[in-house]
Amino acid sequence: MGGRVDLDGNQIKPITICMIGAGGFIGSHLCEKLMSETPHKVLAVDVYNDKIKHLLEPATLAWADRIQFHRINIKNDSRLEGLIKMADLTINLAAICTPADYNTRPLDTIYSNFIDALPVVKYCSENGKRLIHFSTCEVYGKTIGAFLPKDSPLRQDPAYYVLKEDESPCIFGPIEKQRWSYACAKQLIERLIYAEGAENGLEFTIVRPFNWIGPRMDFIPGIDGPSEGVPRVLACFSNNLLRREPLKLVDGGESQRTFIYIKDAIEAVLLMIENPARANGHTFNVGNPNNEVTVRQLAEMMTQVYSKVSGESSIETPTIDVSSKEFYGEGYDDSDKRIPDMTIINKQLGWNPKTSLWDLLESTLTYQHRTYAEAIKQAMSKTAAN
Ligand SMILES: NC(=O)c1ccc[n+]([C@@H]2O[C@H](COP(=O)([O-])OP(=O)(O)OC[C@H]3O[C@@H](n4cnc5c(N)ncnc54)[C@H](O)[C@@H]3O)[C@@H](O)[C@H]2O)c1
Ligand SMILES: O=c1ccn([C@@H]2O[C@H](COP(=O)(O)OP(=O)(O)O[C@H]3OC[C@](O)(CO)[C@H]3O)[C@@H](O)[C@H]2O)c(=O)[nH]1
């Protein structure tokens, strides 16, 4: 770990990071990376710590003196400012960020993604502390191309669908489509952070993740999360595969996404942390433009990969169609296509994603099978017996 240098050849000094939302999917991978490959200290803030337990215990771990867990709900805890003051950098990951919540719990979604983030921005600005804030690719909303006639040749032109941080508009649906409550709250907090930078000199970086996936993402309903809960697509499809039930394709599974392996994405975040002069004042797309699929193609690929890693044949009807109203309820809407432009992150940090969709699904589904298959079998045989 000694003698590490930044992209400009300068020695990297150990810093203290206040990481809010450290107990979640991205936070757990970022903590792992910081503990195993850097000398930095982490003040890990979250209401849960199950996903980082392996980094906190036992006290004999090599990094035990570099990570502290603080069980804090940032909505209402006066200890937050003190932790931000103690740190050199704050990273805010805390959010409600599962689409099933956006239209069914719009108030919680807006409070979580805007109101609860306000004190974090304020404390950083007032105390002269650097902030890396996690926004989302959802701030782009729908592509311009989505509004062209289906057979328009312009739909093939990247100018109508590639999403650029400094050029693309943010296109959301009408207010009654409450799906956009999350994207809109994220957009407003981005604008507030940008304004704090412009008017009060806040040093900030905004991250727009494009569907980062991998181990520890969300939960498997009825095993380590509520039975009726609806996680993001990776966990929904993993759950279906583990239970040998058809994967549900919302509105035909026609929407397109680009998926990036969490470990590639974490490399980008580490570059931001350790190269403030190159990252401050920027908004970065972080995704893998080479891994684009429709949701239907994702379902087909996951079915094939799961069959390979589990040794089980796939079921006769691997997918079924379901309407978005049935699956998510009233007020759902969708982003049609999400291809990140990589020019800015490439220029500033020289970063590019590496892992193909097949490879990232293979390692992720191996983890899902190893972690959950036995528990699911037991839960299912218990239900059958009752
Ligand atoms: N995973 C992705 O692909 C993705 C895509 C776009 C945006 N993001 C953004 O990245 C961030 C992290 O996402 P994630 O996938 O790790 O989600 P996650 O749900 O796994 O992690 C969020 C964490 O924040 C914590 N948290 C929420 N409210 C809190 C509060 N009031 N006080 C303390 N802790 C609180 C949760 O307990 C959770 O551990 C979010 O801001 C999300 O909007 C993620
Ligand atoms: O069982 C299912 C679950 C989902 N779908 C469809 O898959 C698409 C992707 O869904 P998901 O990963 O759950 O979420 P989104 O990509 O729409 O949104 C996320 O993107 C980034 C983030 O900000 C945070 O992670 C979040 O908002 C979608 O089209 C679903 O309808 C399915 O067919 N079947």
Side-chain angles (χ1 to χ4, degrees), residues 46 66 151 156 233 242 271 294 321 357 371:
D46 207 304
R66 291 196 289 115
D151 56 355
Q156 311 310 317
V233 70
L242 284 153
L271 285 167
T294 62
D321 285 357
L357 186 56
T371 311

Side-chain angles (χ1 to χ4, degrees), residues 190-211:
E190 277 201 24
R191 290 189 185 275
L192 184 110
I193 292 167
Y194 192 90
E196 277 291 346
E199 290 190 30
N200 296 324
L202 172 69
E203 290 182 341
F204 73 87
T205 301
I206 290 169
V207 186
R208 291 181 179 166
F210 280 64
N211 293 77

Side-chain angles (χ1 to χ4, degrees), residues 133-300:
H133 184 82
F134 273 70
S135 180
T136 175
C137 56
E138 283 215 16
V139 296
Y140 294 109
K142 300 183 187 228
T143 63
I144 311 171
F147 296 88
L148 292 169
K150 278 255 177 315
D151 56 355
S152 167
L154 289 177
R155 277 188 175 239
Q156 311 310 317
D157 181 343
Y160 290 84
Y161 61 79
V162 172
L163 302 168
K164 298 187 178 192
E165 299 93 328
D166 51 352
E167 283 181 26
S168 298
C170 300
I171 308 175
F172 305 152
I175 303 300
E176 57 266 35
K177 294 285 185 196
Q178 297 202 74
R179 158 61 184 255
W180 304 109
S181 59
Y182 165 79
C184 197
K186 286 283 203 198
Q187 188 198 144
L188 189 54
I189 199 75
E190 277 201 24
R191 290 189 185 275
L192 184 110
I193 292 167
Y194 192 90
E196 277 291 346
E199 290 190 30
N200 296 324
L202 172 69
E203 290 182 341
F204 73 87
T205 301
I206 290 169
V207 186
R208 291 181 179 166
F210 280 64
N211 293 77
W212 300 9
I213 60 175
R216 295 198 291 273
M217 184 167 198
D218 298 338
F219 58 90
I220 296 298
I223 302 297
D224 54 3
S227 311
E228 301 306 314
V230 180
R232 286 169 285 190
V233 70
L234 174 82
C236 284
F237 286 175
S238 300
N239 184 38
N240 299 143
L241 291 165
L242 284 153
R243 293 179 190 275
R244 296 186 67 71
E245 62 191 24
L247 279 59
K248 294 187 176 124
L249 298 178
V250 172
D251 293 339
E254 283 177 13
S255 297
Q256 291 167 292
R257 295 288 186 273
T258 50
F259 293 94
I260 178 173
Y261 193 34
I262 181 72
K263 290 187 196 294
D264 287 359
I266 291 295
E267 295 275 351
V269 182
L270 186 59
L271 285 167
M272 292 174 209
I273 294 172
E274 298 192 326
N275 292 276
R278 288 168 175 259
N280 283 347
H282 287 282
T283 296
F284 292 117
N285 286 343
V286 181
N288 188 337
N290 307 316
N291 281 347
E292 190 185 32
V293 279
T294 62
V295 174
R296 180 179 290 278
Q297 288 166 333
L298 175 73
E300 288 163 359

Side-chain angles (χ1 to χ4, degrees), residues 24-26 46 72-74 93 95 97 135 182 186 212 232:
F25 163 57
I26 296 176
D46 207 304
I72 286 178
N73 185 336
I74 62 161
L93 294 147
C97 53
S135 180
Y182 165 79
K186 286 283 203 198
W212 300 9
R232 286 169 285 190

Side-chain angles (χ1 to χ4, degrees), residues 8 13 22 36 62 65 102 220 228 256-257 267 277 337 367:
D8 298 304
K13 295 197 189 90
S36 60
D65 59 342
Y102 307 163
I220 296 298
E228 301 306 314
Q256 291 167 292
R257 295 288 186 273
E267 295 275 351
K337 187 173 173 77
Y367 171 89

